[in-house]
Amino acid sequence: MAANMYRVGDYVYFENSSSNPYLVRRIEELNKTANGNVEAKVVCLFRRRDISSSLNSLADSNAREFEEESKQPGVSEQQRHQLKHRELFLSRQFESLPATHIRGKCSVTLLNETDILSQYLEKEDCFFYSLVFDPVQKTLLADQGEIRVGCKYQAEIPDRLAEGESDNRNQQKMEMKVWDPDNPLTDRQIDQFLVVARAVGTFARALDCSSSIRQPSLHMSAAAASRDITLFHAMDTLQRNGYDLAKAMSTLVPQGGPVLCRDEMEEWSASEAMLFEEALEKYGKDFNDIRQDFLPWKSLASIVQFYYMWKTTDRYIQQKRLKAAEADSKLKQVYIPTYTKPNPNQIISVGSKPGMNGAGFQKGLTCESCHTTQSAQWYAWGPPNMQCRLCASCWIYWKKYGGLKTPTQLEGAARGTTEPHSRGHLSRPEAQSLSPYTTSANRAKLLAKNRQTFLLQTTKLTRLARRMCRDLLQPRRAARRPYAPINANAIKAECSIRLPKAAKTPLKIHPLVRLPLATIVKDLVAQAPLKPKTPRGTKTPINRNQLTQNRGLGGIMVKRAYETMAGVPFSANGRPLASGIRSSSQPAAKRQKLNPADAPNPVVFVATKDTRALRKALTHLEMRRAARRPNLPLKVKPPLIAVRPPVPLPPSSHPASTSEPIVLED
């Protein structure tokens, strides 16, 4: 009963996929929805498999420093591999998950210098963390809750002075006296001076325009003048004037007017106070993050002072009561029964009813983790084409700790299959930057927001595998389908087998001299100049007699003639025209002109009449070859087409209609 009872603050396993490992989360709230279900608001904790390789290397360096400082005992390579599965990374990311997806409890503790790492391997469902992961900024930072213990954090205490020995140190450099308890004034005189200081502060607020707006009534001004900042200023004034009341009073009211002392409660506006309360609700007492994300124009000292003054106000007491009332109305605990449904990855034995996961698996396969051949139950693991499986104990280890007991090459392949191929896992700026409809200028602005850049660098083994395993890789097919996954580990393994058998002669590489990019762009712009945009609304007079005359285009500039056979239009090459293609007898549709401002790139190529005629002269095979290799020049002989003389038309029955020009408005 107690094992299935989950409370606020527990670390639990959540299952979001039948093949992926469990998610480790901490329950913050338990809320009941309108339909009667229970949702848990949880804090996300990430594994090493959830972060990038660069952050993994940063975590490795942090682990090495911890082992050197804490003088950890030596561990084997297998234990070091399993310790990486026990390490988590805390975050401030919240999410809501159904409580029915809870699969058990676990323990997560902050790693201390006195802890021994090997002890975590001896306990079941035990994890540790020392770094905080920011999913938005993609950074790893040390947890601020660590205790600073050591010689570099402790104060150096000098030796005690002997009796009668004088202290030769300069006391003014070490400290400054702000109050003398043996002063000549009595307590009554000091209290009277403090009353005068409050009255001067109230009068100063009446003269100040900004203060009169914030404290419109006399009571509010008097209450603001009675705060600690006014009393501290009065006592400092007495100390500076040698506890002479006459001099101190004259200092309170100088020649320019009364002195006005304000604290952080008066300096902050109402909107800034609301931002502070919102930030405090999100980050807690993490004043660095509050200043960075909500109040960057405030200093850290100002935020800390305002926090402790804000705790003395009625606003803090009201919010504390509201939170207590909300906590009473929410669920404190929830009972989740043990999950007993079979896993879809379970391999069904031959004697039982065949299923999807049991079909196609070969007999005699061992466990990918412990290499055992006997198990009460087997589970499919990794890519389906690899036909890998895990025994029952290794499957439970995989689900809880997100890895295998022993390091294997297929672990990276199984991790790659769980990553989605869509852009749903990307942030909005990253997804927009991949869009082909985003201009280069906007794409640069979107990519500039990402803090971390990455570089794809090809290794020598990968370059060799591209040539040795061309039959497995199929580079042309992979280039046409970049979204399809490639089993890189299987290709590299095959390459390592074929590499010793390959010929020792080096490959012949023909160097290709390429022109600079600036020269290519300059030539392309010179060959395809931009057409001036015709203003809308201009009227172009056209005579109908010109429509029947030959345009005088010789060679490839002349359009191919169309012939009609049995009522079906045929082109000059003998192929019938589709219904969507208009013939020469159909009316010409209005051609939409390209607007250079709407193009995705700053360089726009406008097709001329010569290029359009050249496209018609190319065959289908030559067109595809030119599209695949646009850097190669085209060597096409344009066909010579005889220009037929214009056929005179019979006289029109309406001569008056041909003499008048027709105006076409764009």
Side-chain angles (χ1 to χ4, degrees):
M1 181 69 179
N4 295 338
M5 191 67 69
Y6 301 95
R7 298 174 177 86
V8 175
D10 289 346
Y11 290 91
V12 296
Y13 294 117
F14 274 90
E15 186 175 22
N16 66 338
S17 175
S18 59
S19 58
N20 291 346
Y22 293 142
L23 305 176
V24 181
R25 299 290 186 261
R26 186 182 67 200
I27 301 177
E28 288 294 316
E29 295 178 3
L30 292 172
N31 303 319
K32 195 170 184 179
T33 60
N35 53 4
N37 298 329
V38 178
E39 285 190 353
K41 181 182 179 182
V42 295
V43 178
C44 300
L45 288 94
F46 295 88
R47 304 179 189 265
R48 277 180 171 261
R49 66 192 310 272
D50 300 327
I51 63 177
S52 62
S53 58
S54 59
L55 295 182
N56 270 300
S57 60
L58 182 61
D60 291 337
S61 62
N62 181 74
R64 287 192 295 268
E65 293 177 0
F66 174 79
E67 292 178 1
E68 295 175 359
E69 292 179 359
S70 59
K71 298 179 181 179
Q72 294 285 330
V75 294
S76 62
E77 290 297 328
Q78 183 176 358
Q79 289 179 335
R80 191 179 301 276
H81 170 73
Q82 294 180 2
L83 278 174
K84 294 181 179 180
H85 302 157
R86 300 299 184 100
E87 184 179 8
L88 299 177
F89 302 101
L90 187 66
S91 72
R92 294 189 180 89
Q93 180 177 344
F94 293 87
E95 63 180 0
S96 295
L97 297 174
T100 54
H101 290 186
I102 296 178
R103 297 295 180 262
K105 292 183 182 180
C106 59
S107 174
V108 182
T109 57
L110 175 63
L111 185 62
N112 196 4
E113 294 182 354
T114 58
D115 295 341
I116 299 177
L117 293 175
S118 58
Q119 292 181 353
Y120 287 94
L121 299 177
E122 301 172 359
K123 302 176 183 178
E124 289 291 333
D125 305 323
C126 189
F127 301 88
F128 66 89
Y129 76 94
S130 61
L131 299 176
V132 179
F133 174 62
D134 189 351
V136 179
Q137 306 295 338
K138 308 296 182 185
T139 56
L140 276 179
L141 300 175
D143 187 28
Q144 298 180 356
E146 60 181 354
I147 302 175
R148 296 184 176 182
V149 180
C151 58
K152 56 183 179 180
Y153 300 115
Q154 306 302 320
E156 296 180 0
I157 303 176
D159 297 334
R160 184 178 180 183
L161 297 176
E163 294 184 3
E165 185 180 358
S166 61
D167 192 358
N168 299 325
R169 296 175 298 177
N170 190 357
Q171 298 294 332
Q172 295 182 354
K173 292 183 178 180
M174 299 182 63
E175 58 187 3
M176 182 179 63
K177 182 183 286 189
V178 295
W179 183 257
D180 188 6
D182 300 330
N183 58 76
L185 299 178
T186 62
D187 294 342
R188 178 173 181 146
Q189 290 176 330
I190 295 175
D191 293 339
Q192 289 175 350
F193 183 76
L194 294 179
V195 172
V196 173
R198 293 193 191 98
V200 171
T202 305
F203 180 65
R205 283 168 174 78
L207 296 179
D208 186 58
C209 297
S210 60
S211 298
S212 60
I213 296 175
R214 295 180 181 179
Q215 295 102 16
S217 63
L218 178 61
H219 295 284
M220 297 178 64
S221 299
S226 301
R227 298 187 64 83
D228 293 340
I229 188 68
T230 305
L231 304 182
F232 291 158
H233 174 68
M235 298 174 77
D236 291 341
T237 304
L238 286 176
Q239 173 69 20
R240 289 196 303 268
N241 291 278
Y243 298 94
D244 188 350
L245 292 177
K247 292 182 180 179
M249 287 185 182
S250 61
T251 306
L252 287 178
V253 187
Q255 187 176 1
V259 177
L260 177 59
C261 301
R262 291 177 178 171
D263 56 7
E264 296 298 332
M265 291 296 294
E266 289 188 78
E267 292 291 344
W268 286 46
S269 62
S271 59
E272 291 174 341
M274 294 294 291
L275 281 176
F276 175 79
E277 292 178 359
E278 182 182 352
L280 196 66
E281 180 72 21
K282 181 177 181 180
Y283 293 127
K285 292 190 293 185
D286 196 343
F287 299 114
N288 289 316
D289 290 347
I290 290 175
R291 178 177 179 270
Q292 181 179 358
D293 296 343
F294 284 85
L295 299 166
W297 59 90
K298 294 289 185 181
S299 63
L300 189 61
S302 174
I303 295 175
V304 174
Q305 290 179 11
F306 180 80
Y307 168 73
Y308 286 102
M309 292 180 181
W310 174 78
K311 289 186 70 174
T312 61
T313 59
D314 295 337
R315 178 74 175 175
Y316 170 76
I317 298 173
Q318 292 175 1
Q319 288 194 0
K320 195 172 183 180
R321 290 175 180 173
L322 287 175
K323 288 183 179 180
E326 290 179 0
D328 293 339
S329 62
K330 291 180 180 178
L331 298 175
K332 301 293 188 303
Q333 58 187 7
V334 63
Y335 176 80
I336 304 297
T338 305
Y339 188 76
T340 57
K341 294 183 179 180
N343 194 290
N345 293 274
Q346 181 177 345
I347 300 176
I348 302 175
S349 59
V350 180
S352 61
K353 186 178 179 180
M356 292 182 61
N357 296 314
F361 274 85
Q362 301 176 2
K363 296 182 179 180
L365 293 178
T366 60
C367 176
E368 293 294 332
S369 178
C370 62
H371 306 289
T372 184
T373 57
Q374 296 180 358
S375 177
Q377 186 60 54
W378 295 94
Y379 295 88
W381 179 82
N385 58 340
M386 300 296 293
Q387 293 191 355
C388 302
R389 62 180 184 176
L390 296 177
C391 62
S393 61
C394 293
W395 177 258
I396 296 175
Y397 186 92
W398 159 257
K399 294 290 287 185
K400 288 185 176 181
Y401 306 114
L404 301 183
K405 296 180 181 179
T406 56
T408 176
Q409 295 181 355
L410 293 178
E411 187 176 359
R415 186 181 309 171
T417 57
T418 60
E419 297 178 358
H421 304 303
S422 62
R423 300 180 185 177
H425 65 288
L426 299 177
S427 61
R428 186 175 182 182
E430 294 173 346
Q432 289 180 353
S433 64
L434 297 177
S435 174
Y437 302 102
T438 308
T439 60
S440 59
N442 295 335
R443 188 181 296 112
K445 293 179 181 178
L446 292 171
L447 293 178
K449 295 181 180 179
N450 298 333
R451 296 290 183 88
Q452 183 183 6
T453 58
F454 62 92
L455 177 65
L456 301 178
Q457 187 174 4
T458 309
T459 61
K460 293 182 178 180
L461 181 60
T462 305
R463 291 197 293 268
L464 283 173
R466 290 175 182 172
R467 296 179 179 271
M468 301 292 298
C469 306
R470 185 178 292 271
D471 54 340
L472 297 178
L473 179 60
Q474 297 180 0
R476 290 198 175 189
R477 182 176 180 273
R480 296 191 188 111
R481 301 175 63 188
Y483 52 86
I486 298 175
N487 195 348
N489 293 327
I491 294 177
K492 289 182 180 179
E494 184 67 23
C495 178
S496 61
I497 297 174
R498 298 183 183 182
L499 190 59
K501 302 178 183 178
K504 301 299 180 180
T505 57
L507 297 175
K508 296 181 180 180
I509 301 177
H510 302 283
L512 181 61
V513 180
R514 299 181 182 274
L515 296 176
L517 181 61
T519 307
I520 296 175
V521 173
K522 185 177 179 181
D523 295 342
L524 292 175
V525 173
Q527 294 176 8
L530 291 176
K531 291 185 178 181
K533 185 177 179 181
T534 307
R536 300 187 64 178
T538 55
K539 300 180 179 180
T540 307
I542 299 176
N543 198 334
R544 286 186 180 178
N545 294 331
Q546 297 177 359
L547 298 177
T548 58
Q549 295 177 1
N550 193 351
R551 311 218 173 181
L553 298 177
I556 63 174
M557 300 300 294
V558 180
K559 292 185 178 180
R560 289 176 294 178
Y562 292 95
E563 299 177 1
T564 304
M565 183 179 296
V568 181
F570 273 78
S571 59
N573 54 8
R575 297 180 181 178
L577 293 175
S579 59
I581 303 179
R582 60 180 177 85
S583 61
S584 58
S585 60
Q586 297 176 351
K590 182 179 178 181
R591 185 183 298 275
Q592 184 178 2
K593 293 184 178 180
L594 177 64
N595 188 7
D598 298 336
N601 295 321
V603 180
V604 182
F605 303 100
V606 181
T608 60
K609 296 181 180 179
D610 297 338
T611 56
R612 294 194 193 98
L614 185 61
R615 289 175 189 169
K616 296 177 181 179
L618 292 175
T619 63
H620 185 65
L621 183 62
E622 292 173 345
M623 184 75 74
R624 292 181 63 181
R625 186 182 296 115
R628 290 187 184 132
R629 297 182 179 180
N631 57 313
L632 299 180
L634 286 176
K635 298 180 180 179
V636 181
K637 295 182 179 180
L640 297 177
I641 303 176
V643 181
R644 299 179 181 179
V647 181
L649 296 176
S652 176
S653 60
H654 304 281
S657 61
T658 58
S659 59
E660 298 178 359
I662 299 175
V663 178
L664 299 179
E665 295 184 0
D666 188 4

